Amino acid sequence: MNCPLGTHDAAAEKEKVVSKRRASVASPLRKRVANGARPSISKLETIVISLERRPDRMAGCAERLEKHCHELPFRAFPATDGRECTIPEEEVTLSWNTARNVIYQKQRAIRKGWDDLETYQVRTLKHSAGERGCSSSHIRAWRLCLEQAGDSDRPLLVLEDDAAPTPEFRERLERAMASLPSDADVLYLGYSQAADWRREVSEELVESVYVWTTVAYIIWPSGARKLLSRLPINEPVDNWMAGFAAEHELKSYCVRPKVVLQADAWNVNSDVAHSDEHYWGPNSDIQHSDALYWGPDHPEAKAALNDSALAAAGGSLAGSSIWDVDSDEESEDSLDL
């Protein structure tokens, strides 16, 4: 079992990170290629966040990674167990307010053509134990990023154990990295898009305003410092990270189309209960994907699924083995990925 630092140590660590961030802000951007910030796939340090009591999930993830990116040097990273560990409120709050997230839920609904704007309401909710454990796990991953980078700008690829890379993983990621601006803090490989893109950098790369999920992202030391200096996490961790990007405080980019899907439908075989899953009733936003909103047999739902990616990854809708984070791989003009 892995538990986060105690309150005293966490406060000291936070102050150390803030000091480093202040020093780095005053310095010019380093040349990333020369400083290890754009490593090849075979040299991209990778961790898979997974609960030690769920070896089945880690085994499944390892099998998927070996199939489509066997050269990726990944290792298991024990997740913080929210059921068993004491997580300081200085790191993760006990409750959260949905106000900011509702703004982007409505933007997504408008983009998708969903007639449900009245269902998105501002509430204050209690974090589930799984949500707090998830947030703590990512905090520890950001600290690991800084520890391993040292004085370099070497990034860390953070995966959750439901990550399912697509067959095009290597090719698309390499093209996206080639056009990645030097100010990048985070690069999402899997995500669910809420707002329109802030800008298109290249055919394979966009700058994001607000995206959901933390299934797969590359984080640079600059991003880790920024996030650690802003603790506590007072929303689900993906919402919290997205909020800083929306406010221009975190430079977040996305590989387009996404190169990591999720291995299961939402909440299937998951240990993270979502605090906002049912409070809106049967039309909760958590149930809002094209497939679930329209119904699995509706033409809109069928058009939204990327059948070729699902089949190549070894799964199908019926078996719930490989799902797109947003179930929209071929919807619209394939730019909303």
Side-chain angles (χ1 to χ4, degrees):
M1 179 193 310
N2 249 33
C3 294
L5 294 170
T7 303
H8 175 76
D9 290 339
E13 180 67 20
K14 179 178 178 180
E15 178 54 35
K16 181 166 43 173
V17 168
V18 171
S19 299
K20 287 183 178 180
R21 179 171 178 262
R22 287 172 183 152
S24 67
V25 167
S27 304
L29 286 171
R30 288 168 286 186
K31 292 185 178 179
R32 296 200 142 187
V33 174
N35 206 20
R38 291 182 182 172
S40 63
I41 301 298
S42 63
K43 295 182 179 179
L44 180 57
E45 186 73 24
T46 304
I47 60 170
V48 180
I49 297 175
S50 187
L51 285 167
E52 291 179 315
R53 58 180 166 83
R54 292 299 305 272
D56 57 311
R57 290 179 63 88
M58 184 62 214
C61 186
E63 183 178 347
R64 294 187 295 273
L65 292 174
E66 289 289 351
K67 182 174 184 179
H68 291 308
C69 42
H70 61 87
E71 66 271 60
L72 196 68
F74 67 90
R75 61 187 173 89
F77 183 77
T80 302
D81 194 332
R83 298 183 191 176
E84 303 291 339
C85 297
T86 300
I87 301 171
E89 291 182 53
E90 291 82 1
E91 292 191 351
V92 186
T93 60
L94 297 175
S95 62
W96 67 288
N97 186 275
T98 67
R100 179 168 58 185
N101 201 48
V102 163
I103 293 172
Y104 294 100
Q105 288 169 328
K106 289 182 176 180
Q107 288 189 25
R108 176 184 60 169
I110 292 170
R111 285 195 314 105
K112 293 285 192 177
W114 293 341
D115 185 19
D116 60 357
L117 293 182
E118 75 284 351
T119 68
Y120 303 106
Q121 301 174 22
V122 176
R123 309 257 180 140
T124 296
L125 302 172
K126 182 179 179 180
H127 279 299
S128 71
E131 284 174 326
R132 298 190 78 237
C134 181
S135 293
S136 174
S137 299
H138 285 276
I139 289 171
R140 292 173 39 241
W142 304 335
R143 288 177 177 149
L144 177 65
C145 174
L146 293 181
E147 177 185 331
Q148 293 187 159
D151 293 330
S152 76
D153 205 18
R154 186 172 45 154
L156 177 69
L157 171 54
V158 180
L159 301 175
E160 294 177 340
D161 61 12
D162 59 343
T166 67
E168 302 81 13
F169 178 89
R170 176 172 186 151
E171 178 186 357
R172 288 177 177 171
L173 179 55
E174 287 182 341
R175 289 204 302 263
M177 289 284 275
S179 58
L180 188 70
S182 61
D183 64 356
D185 293 316
V186 174
L187 175 63
Y188 287 95
L189 312 188
Y191 49 86
S192 178
Q193 182 186 358
D196 289 330
W197 301 124
R198 178 163 285 142
R199 66 184 174 114
E200 179 179 304
V201 179
S202 69
E203 184 177 350
E204 296 83 16
L205 187 72
V206 289
E207 183 176 356
S208 72
V209 173
Y210 198 98
V211 296
W212 288 292
T213 88
T214 47
V215 65
Y217 63 91
I218 299 174
I219 188 164
W220 278 265
S222 60
R225 292 187 191 103
K226 289 177 182 178
L227 293 173
L228 289 169
S229 72
R230 299 300 296 272
L231 298 181
I233 295 177
N234 60 1
E235 298 175 76
V237 64
D238 57 336
N239 300 4
W240 188 75
M241 291 174 66
F244 289 125
E247 295 168 4
H248 298 271
E249 295 185 29
L250 191 73
K251 297 294 286 187
S252 297
Y253 296 87
C254 296
V255 178
R256 184 187 65 181
K258 63 194 76 168
V259 293
V260 176
L261 311 181
Q262 287 182 292
D264 295 296
W266 189 265
N267 265 2
V268 173
N269 198 32
S270 175
D271 292 277
V272 180
H274 299 276
S275 55
D276 59 350
E277 181 169 5
H278 294 301
Y279 79 86
W280 277 299
N283 286 331
S284 165
D285 89 275
I286 294 300
Q287 299 298 329
H288 284 173
S289 67
D290 288 313
L292 292 173
Y293 183 83
W294 296 110
D297 297 323
H298 192 283
E300 289 283 348
K302 292 180 177 179
L305 294 172
N306 187 336
D307 293 329
S308 61
L310 293 174
S316 67
L317 177 59
S320 283
S321 18
I322 303 291
W323 276 66
D324 187 349
V325 171
D326 203 23
S327 295
D328 62 359
E329 279 289 330
E330 290 185 349
S331 61
E332 301 170 0
D333 60 355
S334 295
L335 297 184
D336 175 16
L337 296 178

